[in-house]
Amino acid sequence: MSSDHFQPIGGSMPKAMLFDLDGTLVDTMPLHFQAYRDVLADLGISLSFTTFMAASGGAARETIPRLLAGNVCALPVEEIHRRKVARAEQLFSESPPSRLPCAMLLPALAATFPIGLVSSGSRKSVETTLASMGWSSVFQVVITGDDVQKGKPDPEGYLKGARALGAIPEECLVFEDMDDGVAAARAAGMQVFDVRKTLPAWRTELDHSVTRVA
């Protein structure tokens, strides 16, 4: 691991690993964008990829209002999300997403450390992705957006993941790809490996131009 990506806190070495999913282990962000774009288009609302990436990071109940960006919508957030999950499942079945470089670490780390997953996605969405990758039994703990009151950048998810693994926060190493996720891990007092320098070129270029949607 390059020192550009990771520095141990207080010299301590990690004893447990926690991974984000979308954009960290699997290249699902374009797929999730297409699902949201298709659903919102049916409602007469356009969505750009830049807006989608700027709004992403937290749970769907937090992300969807940002995606709407002030547009009036007759459907509640829960129904928009239900339609998005259904569309995403269809897209997954048609073209499963590819694994990202960070995924290559899973076999070695899982053989040495307790590992968990902390995602902002719904449990149904996360389980669909894990099944498509053959990872349904890889993680000892899976925390989703359905399991927390506050999504990233709040540290709740990562703290729950650490407790479930029986680890203290300072001994956890988190793998993340979003500012909100990095902030959540740091707020939890954990060590963070920022994978963005290992991501596809489209993502690296986008990260230089995206700003958070209010």
Side-chain angles (χ1 to χ4, degrees):
M1 297 180 184
S2 166
S3 60
D4 291 337
H5 298 71
F6 163 64
Q7 287 288 344
I9 294 175
S12 63
M13 294 305 296
K15 297 181 180 178
M17 306 288 167
L18 292 167
F19 291 84
D20 173 53
L21 179 60
D22 298 304
T24 296
L25 293 171
V26 190
D27 193 17
T28 51
M29 298 307 281
L31 183 150
H32 286 300
F33 163 67
Q34 184 176 343
Y36 269 123
R37 183 187 62 185
D38 292 348
V39 169
L40 293 181
D42 288 342
L43 300 172
I45 300 172
S46 63
L47 177 66
S48 71
F49 191 56
T50 301
T51 297
F52 165 74
M53 289 298 294
S56 297
R61 61 182 175 273
E62 300 162 330
T63 296
I64 291 173
R66 293 197 289 258
L67 294 178
L68 293 175
N71 287 287
V72 177
C73 181
L75 294 181
V77 166
E78 293 78 11
E79 176 60 17
I80 294 175
H81 185 242
R82 186 195 68 79
R83 295 186 184 188
K84 179 266 176 181
V85 170
R87 177 60 177 143
E89 286 182 342
Q90 180 182 8
L91 293 171
F92 268 75
S93 66
E94 294 171 354
S95 180
S98 60
R99 301 182 183 196
L100 290 169
C102 187
M104 293 187 292
L105 298 173
L106 284 178
L109 293 181
T112 307
F113 300 94
I115 66 170
L117 188 77
V118 180
S119 172
S120 295
S122 67
R123 182 157 294 275
K124 185 174 183 180
S125 177
V126 168
E127 289 177 349
T128 295
T129 303
L130 293 180
S132 72
M133 294 292 105
W135 292 340
S136 295
S137 60
V138 168
F139 300 95
Q140 294 167 250
V141 171
V142 176
I143 305 296
T144 73
D146 294 340
D147 303 315
V148 298
Q149 295 297 314
K150 295 181 179 180
K152 303 170 186 177
D154 192 273
E156 180 183 357
Y158 279 118
L159 291 172
K160 281 193 171 184
R163 284 196 297 270
L165 289 177
I168 63 174
E170 293 79 7
E171 294 176 345
C172 293
L173 173 59
V174 172
F175 293 82
E176 265 287 357
D177 74 304
M178 299 284 283
D179 287 343
D180 281 353
V182 170
R186 287 178 175 162
M190 298 178 181
Q191 304 167 60
V192 187
F193 185 92
D194 190 331
V195 306
R196 278 176 279 198
K197 290 185 180 180
T198 72
L199 293 176
W202 66 260
R203 176 62 189 276
T204 303
E205 293 168 2
L206 187 66
D207 282 336
H208 288 302
S209 61
V210 166
T211 56
R212 163 64 73 196
V213 174

